[in-house]
Amino acid sequence: MSTYKIVDDAYGKSGVKLLHIKRNGPVHSIRELEVNSQLTLSSKKDYTEGDNSDIVATDSQKNTVYLLAKKHGVNSPEEFAIILCRHYLSTYNHVLKVQVQIELYPWQRAEIDGKKHNHAFVFTPVATRFCTARMEKNGIPTIESGLKDLRVLKTTQSAFVNFVNDDYRSLPDAPDRVFSTVITSRWEYSTINVDFCKAWNTVKDVILSVFSGPADKGIFSPSVQNTLHLTEKLVLDSVPEINYIEMILPNKHYVNVDLSKFKNVGFAHNDTVLQPLDKPSGNIRAALTRTLASKL
Ligand SMILES: O=c1[nH]c(=O)c2[nH]c(=O)[nH]c2[nH]1
């Protein structure tokens, strides 16, 4: 007869959306979040016996998100995720493990005639910020943060040459090409004593500066791989509380259009016309971690 063991289980509510408004006199600040909480219980009788007596309903988890936002406010998404983890573990003896994922909507304070507005905001999707907090009974929370959908493009200072030249190659060397990608990155903190908003902005700024270089001259990239690695190195150098970072860079191709057949159409300018390709894209990924000696 076969015997079985449940090896991985968690349940919760995903897509709990909330807008938190903090009023400081006439100056209002907002956080719009989407929260996903997942609990793992000590007993599996809900799965095996159909006994619901230990289940903190996913509907109650939704209520908890709203109630704790009202009670504690929402500072950074990371801090709010930790508040939720601690709440479940301290309120329910039989909750063994909690994972809270939060996505932050990219609202920015509006600027009117160069002045920051008291209570108007603009949706500015430069990049989406997200985080995950994980905590076990009697443990300490671990935090990972990240960004996604950061789409960038530069028109020069990128090359791709000297790669494998064999019967399968058709791509010519490209000493000067367009470099465009949609950046996803996630990183792990070695501590929760971090200014999470400052750290997130530092990572975003490092990513943009290694990709772009100085405003007038730019910075040369010999490959997506090398730019990815230099970015991760500078992130670990810039934020000591981060001990691991991973980046995924799809290489969004912009290909030449062959206009050589159109001999009778004159071109007054030496402009470039390229065709953006949706698919396929390259897909370059790597993670960088501190070696033991350099950990905090
Ligand atoms: O930066 C690049 N890395 C690659 O691995 C690769 N492969 C490719 O076709 N173009 C590029 N560009």
Side-chain angles (χ1 to χ4, degrees):
M1 204 183 88
S2 298
T3 56
Y4 307 98
K5 183 176 171 3
I6 294 176
V7 283
D8 189 19
D9 66 284
Y11 77 101
K13 197 68 119 191
S14 57
V16 179
K17 293 180 64 169
L18 103 97
L19 175 68
H20 176 261
I21 305 170
K22 188 180 166 72
R23 294 190 167 81
N24 199 347
V27 181
H28 300 174
S29 303
I30 61 167
R31 291 285 197 199
E32 184 170 347
L33 309 175
E34 198 166 317
V35 181
N36 173 355
S37 62
Q38 297 279 310
L39 308 183
T40 302
L41 308 181
S42 55
S43 128
K44 311 298 169 204
K45 63 187 181 192
D46 45 349
Y47 291 94
T48 58
E49 314 292 328
D51 179 340
N52 297 341
S53 55
D54 274 354
I55 294 180
V56 180
T58 67
D59 192 63
S60 310
Q61 293 182 41
K62 176 197 68 188
N63 296 338
T64 304
V65 170
Y66 292 119
L67 289 164
L68 295 193
K70 178 87 174 161
K71 188 168 171 187
H72 300 283
V74 180
N75 191 8
S76 64
E78 288 86 354
E79 285 163 88
F80 188 56
I82 293 171
I83 287 171
L84 280 161
C85 285
R86 290 202 162 120
H87 167 84
Y88 287 117
L89 292 167
S90 63
T91 307
Y92 306 103
N93 276 334
H94 64 289
V95 172
L96 286 190
K97 206 158 80 172
V98 186
Q99 173 176 293
V100 175
Q101 293 168 301
I102 296 185
E103 200 165 300
L104 181 69
Y105 285 45
W107 289 110
Q108 299 220 333
R109 194 172 290 287
E111 265 193 45
I112 304 294
D113 299 330
K115 256 187 92 179
K116 290 204 180 291
H117 202 284
N118 277 352
H119 56 257
F121 301 85
V122 186
F123 200 77
T124 321
V126 173
T128 300
R129 175 173 167 183
F130 59 85
C131 70
T132 303
R134 295 185 183 88
M135 193 172 172
E136 297 193 9
K137 192 69 109 201
N138 304 318
I140 49 168
T142 60
I143 296 287
E144 71 178 53
S145 297
L147 59 77
K148 61 180 183 181
D149 305 328
L150 179 58
R151 182 155 195 181
V152 290
L153 182 153
K154 64 181 188 179
T155 51
T156 188
Q157 289 283 46
S158 163
F160 186 61
V161 300
N162 297 332
F163 49 97
V164 172
N165 199 358
D166 62 7
D167 291 346
Y168 293 86
R169 171 173 167 170
S170 64
L171 192 69
D173 274 356
D176 187 10
R177 65 172 183 173
V178 164
F179 179 3
S180 179
T181 182
V182 186
I183 298 165
T184 302
S185 178
R186 51 174 283 279
W187 54 90
E188 295 172 4
Y189 293 99
S190 54
T191 166
I192 59 165
N193 297 318
V194 188
D195 182 338
F196 290 110
C197 294
K198 188 165 160 230
W200 190 90
N201 280 307
T202 302
V203 176
K204 185 191 61 154
D205 291 347
V206 165
I207 289 172
L208 290 178
S209 76
V210 176
F211 177 80
S212 317
D216 48 353
K217 294 199 176 68
I219 189 169
F220 178 72
S221 165
S223 66
V224 176
Q225 283 88 335
N226 184 245
T227 297
L228 181 157
H229 178 70
L230 294 178
T231 308
E232 292 184 338
K233 248 172 72 177
L234 190 56
V235 167
L236 293 188
D237 286 345
S238 307
V239 188
E241 296 93 346
I242 295 177
N243 59 8
Y244 169 97
I245 178 164
E246 154 185 323
M247 291 179 79
I248 303 165
L249 301 189
N251 190 6
K252 307 298 280 181
H253 302 302
Y254 288 73
V255 295
N256 285 318
V257 189
D258 183 6
L259 300 177
S260 60
K261 288 202 184 86
F262 305 92
K263 298 270 188 275
N264 295 333
V265 182
F267 306 121
H269 307 287
N270 187 26
D271 295 352
T272 304
V273 175
L274 299 171
Q275 182 183 17
L277 280 193
D278 264 354
K279 291 176 180 176
S281 62
N283 202 6
I284 321 290
R285 182 179 67 83
L288 193 68
T289 187
R290 294 183 197 279
T291 53
L292 275 181
S294 65
K295 280 195 169 138
L296 263 192

